[in-house]
Structure formats: structure tokens, C-alpha cells
Amino acid sequence: MNEVLATIAARRSVRAYKPEAIPADLLSQVLGTAPLAPSGMNAQAWRFVALVSRPRIARLWEVCRAALGRFPDPRVQAMASREGFDPWYGAPVVVIASAEAESPTAQYDCACGLQNMMLAAQSMGLASCWVHVPARLDDAPESRELRAELGIPASYRIHGSIALGYAAGPGPKTPERKPGSVAILE
């Protein structure tokens, strides 16, 4: 099988990480793949920020937890109130994807950048997991403060994040894929 196809097939969402730091050169290589992603009209109106310290990740969760508690869906509120819950599963690195709020393709552009990093991580022996939690940050003062602390411009919106690190154990098995999700028409 082609190397790229094998990497895509092997990538899984890992939900348990070793606390071990990712070497700086390896992390830089993974992060460097984000801006190589396609973007609508080649706008490249995005920013990817890697948090590599537990206090920064804890601060992110503190503000996200408050925002989730204000969210109208009771399932989301329940997640926010779970004691000891870590949406990034103890990963030593959390990467946040943000982009110009007014960009019509911002969400998709960020998703492409995050996917590039997830595939690069897989190919380099790292694990990852998409985490949508920061996309729920609202416009409350503490959310604006956090974005400023992270160097995310006020005109940007967060569209997602990924947990990154070394898997704490074997990854999950490949789930069965639903048939009929791909079609070729003539």
C-alpha cells in the first residue's frame, strides 16, 4: 500500500497520552504541515497555536469549561461539569486552530490544517485526537482574554484543536466503516 494511504488508514483518535514531551524538532515538523493545507481562495487567514505546558492547557480548559457551562445543550453542560475531565486526555501538546471570523471558508481551512498535522503526527510515531471543545468559546470577557493571551487576534474565531503526544497504550482498533459513504457516478 502507498505510504500516504497507509498513514491515513492507520490514524486513530487516541484518548490516553504519556506525559512525555514531544521533542521540539519533531513538534516543529508536525506544526509546519498546517500551513501547507489548502485554504479557500488561498487566503491562508489562519493561526495555529501549540500549547506545550500543563498550566496553559489547564487555563484553556478553565475558560472552555465556563463557556460550555453557558452552552444551551444540557449534554455539553454535563461534560463541562464532570469532575477531573480533561478533553485533551493528558496530551502534552494542544494545538488550537483559529481563523478570520469573516472568512467564508475559515472552518474548513482550519480542519484541513488540523488534519495535515494529525496525519504528519501519525507518520512520525505520534498520536492525536480532534477536540472541538475550544470552538465553543463564546464572546464572554474571559474568552476574549484567553484569546489575547494565546496571541489569537480579536477578529479570529477558534474552530477546533487537537491533542498531540505519545499514546499511553495501543491505539483503538479500526472501527467498521459504514458502507455506501462513497459513490462514483458517470
Side-chain angles (χ1 to χ4, degrees):
M1 181 185 284
N2 168 292
E3 254 184 83
V4 174
L5 297 179
T7 298
I8 292 169
R11 196 214 60 79
R12 293 286 156 267
S13 294
V14 171
R15 292 179 174 85
Y17 294 86
K18 295 178 182 176
E20 178 183 336
I22 299 172
D25 62 325
L26 192 57
L27 180 58
S28 289
Q29 288 178 60
V30 171
L31 295 171
T33 65
L36 299 176
S39 67
M41 297 171 277
N42 198 29
Q44 300 178 42
W46 47 35
R47 182 166 172 78
F48 299 93
V49 178
L51 308 182
V52 296
S53 73
R54 290 308 321 159
R56 279 218 189 262
I57 295 168
R59 169 86 172 117
L60 172 63
W61 177 226
E62 170 192 327
V63 177
C64 286
R65 181 188 292 261
L68 294 176
R70 293 186 293 272
F71 200 71
D73 186 329
R75 295 169 300 176
V76 173
Q77 291 174 2
M79 179 180 63
S81 65
R82 278 199 343 230
E83 194 59 41
F85 179 64
D86 174 1
W88 296 282
Y89 311 102
V93 177
V94 171
V95 182
I96 298 170
S98 64
E100 281 284 352
E102 298 304 314
S103 169
T105 60
Q107 182 177 3
Y108 317 111
D109 299 347
C110 286
C112 288
L114 290 171
Q115 178 73 358
N116 270 12
M117 287 186 282
M118 292 168 74
L119 292 173
Q122 176 67 34
S123 76
M124 296 178 196
L126 296 170
S128 65
C129 185
W130 174 285
V131 179
H132 197 67
V133 166
R136 298 291 183 215
L137 282 173
D138 52 19
D139 205 35
E142 64 268 22
S143 295
R144 288 194 304 271
E145 242 175 63
L146 175 70
R147 286 194 297 270
E149 288 171 27
L150 300 178
I152 298 171
S155 62
Y156 278 43
R157 181 178 184 282
I158 295 174
H159 291 283
S161 70
I162 57 172
L164 248 155
Y166 294 100
K173 290 189 180 354
T174 303
E176 286 296 317
R177 298 299 176 187
K178 294 178 183 176
S181 61
V182 177
I184 299 174
L185 304 176
E186 290 188 29

